[in-house]
Amino acid sequence: MAARVLVIGTVAWQVTVWAGARNPPIYAAFAPLMALRSDPFSSLTAVALRIVGVIAGVALGLSVVTLLTPSLAALVVVLGLALLVGMFVGPGPVLNPQVGLSSLLVLSNPAPDAYGITRVWETAMGGLVTMVLAPLLWPPHPHRELTALARECAERLPVVLMGSVAALGDTAAAQDNRIAVAAEAEWLLRLREQTRDAERAMRFNPLRRKQRAQVADLAARLRTVAQAGPYADLLAVEAEALSARDGQSPALRRARAELPAVVEATGRVVDGLLTGRDPAGDAAAARRLLDRYRTGDPQAVAVALRRPFHRVLDLCVPPSPPSAVPQDRGHRGSADARDDDSSAT
């Protein structure tokens, strides 16, 4: 990453000198330094937003200094307008701070006109060089990064689920576990955004063009698993509530004995989905374990603990639609078991 910024910054400086810069074109080198982040999925969007932010900030600063002398009132006006404009030229709902930085620098410069023109054209030259060279010099490798994230996700999610099971009956441990699981759920939420960043990075990545379909497929599977975050959090909340209420009840002892096998089977389902292996067989095995647990303990406590596992499994391998052939009322299949779980209180 550092080598990438160094090379592009050096080339941007030299190209700007050749284009006629009279002073050291420091702002040309700023473009790659500020736009090429350590984010493995960073694309040319950051470069474009930086250039737009500089132009908007300089225009805003020059407009204000023609009306107001540098003062507290001018600062309030410039900063307030810059924050407002930055909301519209940022990446989505995120503020673009470059508008405010550029406008304040114009306000503080003793020769705002000369500074503004220099800043705009040098930044534009640096941005242009960055846009040309960034996709060619050590471009992002979204498929490799997503594969690493998938491996990490497949390892972390079963650990999170097992932590809630292991904490059953211990109020203090269940409380600590709920806090830890909340952080993991946030990580899964961020994971969904990273998959979208990876797909966006592929648009300006000519050297990885052949991997677009692979990246899109893996990103979709990662987003599917990342939706398990709220259900992992639900299991942690239920574990805390039941531990505080029931303590060492037989229902919780049975759950601690039955659920580790379910966690292991669920982990195989997640791993299969993320590695491209068909997870249907593992999902069927996990559902059989849940059905066995349901048969042995149909109480509300067990229903609350089974429900998050059913949700995770249904995310990864959606259940088959119920048969159109009427079943005997004395026979209840696994689909009926999930219906019972979802309607229990």
Side-chain angles (χ1 to χ4, degrees), residues 279-329:
D282 292 321
R287 286 174 174 133
R288 285 194 296 269
L289 290 171
L290 285 168
D291 286 344
R292 186 182 70 181
Y293 178 30
R294 172 183 174 275
T295 302
D297 190 351
Q299 299 180 43
V301 168
V303 170
L305 295 174
R306 287 194 303 269
R307 184 184 296 122
F309 289 100
H310 278 306
R311 297 296 181 268
V312 173
L313 292 172
D314 289 350
L315 273 175
C316 297
V317 182
S320 301
S323 173
V325 179
Q327 295 183 353
D328 182 79
R329 292 181 180 272

Side-chain angles (χ1 to χ4, degrees), residues 135-220:
L136 303 176
L137 295 177
W138 305 288
H141 199 321
H143 186 261
R144 181 181 61 197
E145 298 297 336
L146 285 184
T147 300
L149 285 173
R151 189 181 310 114
E152 184 179 3
C153 183
E155 293 172 355
R156 289 173 68 164
L157 185 55
V159 172
V160 170
L161 297 174
M162 187 64 78
S164 297
V165 172
L168 286 169
D170 186 332
T171 303
Q175 290 174 344
D176 293 340
N177 175 74
R178 180 181 56 78
I179 296 172
V181 172
E184 291 295 308
E186 287 293 325
W187 179 80
L188 287 170
L189 183 62
R190 291 193 300 272
L191 183 61
R192 297 173 65 181
E193 294 303 319
Q194 286 180 293
T195 62
R196 296 187 177 92
D197 290 341
E199 291 182 291
R200 283 193 291 267
M202 292 299 292
R203 299 174 188 171
F204 306 98
N205 203 330
L207 299 185
R208 315 282 184 203
R209 187 177 300 274
K210 293 182 179 180
Q211 295 181 325
R212 283 187 177 181
Q214 294 173 292
V215 167
D217 178 62
L218 183 53

Side-chain angles (χ1 to χ4, degrees), residues 5 37 47 78 125 129 252 267 279:
V5 173
R37 303 180 298 265
V47 182
V78 167
M125 289 298 298
V129 172
L252 293 188

Side-chain angles (χ1 to χ4, degrees), residues 253-272:
R253 288 198 298 270
R254 183 177 182 86
R256 286 197 303 270
E258 296 278 354
L259 289 179
V262 176
V263 172
E264 183 179 353
T266 303
R268 290 195 298 270
V269 172
V270 171
D271 182 75

Side-chain angles (χ1 to χ4, degrees), residues 37 45-46 49-50 86-97 197 200:
R37 303 180 298 265
T45 303
L49 288 175
R50 173 170 171 76
M87 293 298 295
F88 293 95
V89 295
V94 181
L95 173 71
N96 185 349
D197 290 341
R200 283 193 291 267

